[in-house]
Amino acid sequence: MAYFADVFTPATWSAFMADGGRLTAFSRGSMSRGAGKVRSGDRFVCYLKGKFSFVGALEARSEAYVSDDPIWGTGDFPVRVRVEPLALFMPEVALPIAALDGKLSFFASGTPQSMVPAYFQGSPRALTEPDGQAVWRVILAHEDGVRSMQRPAAIQEATDAIEVAVVGPRHAETQALLAEMGLATGCSVWLPRPDRQAVGRVNADLPAKLLAELPFLFPGKAQQVVQNIDAIWLQGSTVVAAFEVENTTSIYSGLLRMSDLVSLMPNISFPMFIVAPEARRTAVRDEVTRPTFAALEPPLQRKCGYIASEELQRKRATLGDDMLRHTRPGFINDLAEHF
């Protein structure tokens, strides 16, 4: 697997989005510069020229080929690669390159941001694996941008086919549901601070009932990872269950956070779950069984189960708060499927 920077201008990014986000394109000379090396499964990080930011993550679904059919309203980009979008941001919620200060070989700590665009001359630009992996991970963790994505009306129909647009309960609604169920079973509940305002719009009473501070659970970076997980049930300072909600965002990004935690703390014993609509079950299965996650010790699919959002809603409706108060939080394991 190789990593490439796919460089867009604001105009070509808008055109790419309006075209459905399934086909990226390059100038004719790019075939000899780098496009000719692209293989299915390789990854593109999308850099927005002039904005010092990243706006997407794509996986190649074909090798590069040449077509003289116009694309994006011009014939200037005959070299094409079919892609699957894993994250797409509008420019106003893009990931600023400053977020990668000190994390890239060409962006050492203290390097003026104005010097970075020189690295993104020519597209696609091959990246080293460490640089590509670092950018890829940060883009997929940039969930606030993904959740805030506003799609132009011209691509509303096309986005029905894109993974990030599966219809299902909204993210905040599912977080609120998890919080309500956790609290009803006697657990303390943690939700990331940036999400609490949206959850409060679903249930105005919830934010005041959540933990104000996350207890110290793990040393170093592991604590940073866990505090950004979408919902955590705790008893004292013991994690009972952790949940990543992927109703509309990239499934890969949620699994990446879980895998980071397993890599940092391989002996963790609490269950972890991806909560997503039933329509995304196959996508969750395909992602959690990727070789990248299967190579972990233990493999991520042993640690991380799948719960359908709809099943969670049905269980809440069946039990209600009265029965939940007499239910152990371990009931959540019975709702999960492992692949």
Side-chain angles (χ1 to χ4, degrees):
M1 178 194 305
Y3 290 88
F4 297 87
D6 192 350
V7 182
F8 291 84
T9 65
T12 57
W13 181 248
S14 177
F16 169 77
M17 293 279 282
D19 194 46
R22 291 287 185 174
L23 192 65
T24 190
F26 310 97
S27 65
R28 191 173 299 275
S30 67
M31 188 64 89
S32 59
R33 285 200 312 269
K37 299 177 182 178
V38 174
R39 299 291 179 265
S40 182
D42 288 346
R43 294 171 171 178
F44 293 105
V45 295
C46 304
Y47 179 77
L48 193 60
K49 195 172 183 179
K51 300 296 183 180
F52 300 99
S53 59
F54 291 98
V55 286
L58 316 172
E59 276 198 0
R61 288 292 177 260
S62 74
E63 297 184 357
Y65 64 94
V66 176
S67 172
D68 290 324
D69 293 336
I71 189 172
W72 305 343
T74 178
D76 293 341
F77 306 106
V79 178
R80 316 282 166 80
V81 178
R82 289 190 292 275
V83 295
E84 177 184 353
L86 295 181
L88 300 174
F89 309 147
M90 296 302 288
E92 58 267 25
V93 291
L95 172 72
I97 197 167
L100 288 148
D101 185 9
K103 298 177 181 178
L104 305 173
S105 64
F106 55 89
F107 194 19
S109 184
T111 301
Q113 180 176 278
S114 59
M115 295 181 65
V116 176
Y119 192 81
F120 295 103
Q121 297 299 316
S123 184
R125 171 70 183 262
L127 300 173
T128 66
E129 185 170 350
D131 285 342
Q133 218 169 56
V135 179
W136 183 266
R137 283 175 175 264
V138 174
I139 288 175
L140 291 182
H142 185 58
E143 294 187 16
D144 289 341
V146 179
R147 292 174 195 164
S148 302
M149 185 165 56
Q150 302 292 319
R151 298 178 190 276
I155 66 165
Q156 190 60 49
E157 183 176 344
T159 55
D160 290 343
I162 297 178
E163 182 189 10
V164 294
V166 172
V167 175
R170 291 188 301 114
H171 189 96
E173 290 174 352
T174 304
Q175 280 182 297
L177 182 62
L178 286 165
E180 290 163 359
M181 295 177 80
L183 290 166
T185 60
C187 291
S188 301
V189 176
W190 168 264
L191 301 182
R193 287 192 181 89
D195 297 348
R196 297 186 181 201
Q197 184 175 359
V199 168
R201 288 195 289 268
V202 177
N203 182 337
D205 296 330
L206 265 182
K209 298 177 181 179
L210 301 173
L211 287 171
E213 298 291 338
L214 184 66
F216 178 79
L217 301 171
F218 305 110
K221 187 177 179 182
Q223 182 78 5
Q224 297 174 20
V225 172
V226 79
Q227 71 184 5
N228 289 316
I229 289 175
D230 285 328
I232 303 174
W233 294 358
L234 302 100
Q235 290 180 331
S237 59
T238 300
V239 176
V240 174
F243 307 87
E244 279 288 336
V245 177
E246 303 300 347
N247 289 328
T248 58
T249 51
S250 166
I251 292 166
Y252 187 90
S253 67
L255 289 171
L256 194 60
R257 197 176 345 263
M258 298 297 198
S259 73
D260 283 347
L261 191 56
V262 171
S263 296
L264 291 164
M265 304 295 296
N267 294 322
I268 57 174
S269 58
F270 59 83
M272 300 183 292
F273 304 101
I274 294 291
V275 181
E278 291 168 348
R280 305 190 88 187
R281 177 187 176 277
T282 299
V284 173
R285 181 200 63 199
D286 291 347
E287 292 290 348
V288 77
T289 56
R290 278 174 178 261
T292 300
F293 299 134
L296 292 172
E297 188 54 49
L300 188 60
Q301 67 240 51
R302 291 188 194 170
K303 291 277 190 181
C304 186
Y306 161 68
I307 299 175
S309 310
E310 295 87 346
E311 180 61 23
L312 204 62
Q313 292 173 321
R314 286 191 287 267
K315 195 68 172 180
R316 174 65 195 278
T318 300
L319 294 177
D321 282 349
D322 288 340
M323 289 186 68
L324 277 172
R325 291 190 187 97
H326 302 285
T327 302
R328 293 180 180 275
F331 85 92
I332 199 71
N333 296 297
D334 297 332
L335 304 184
E337 178 181 7
H338 288 78
F339 300 108

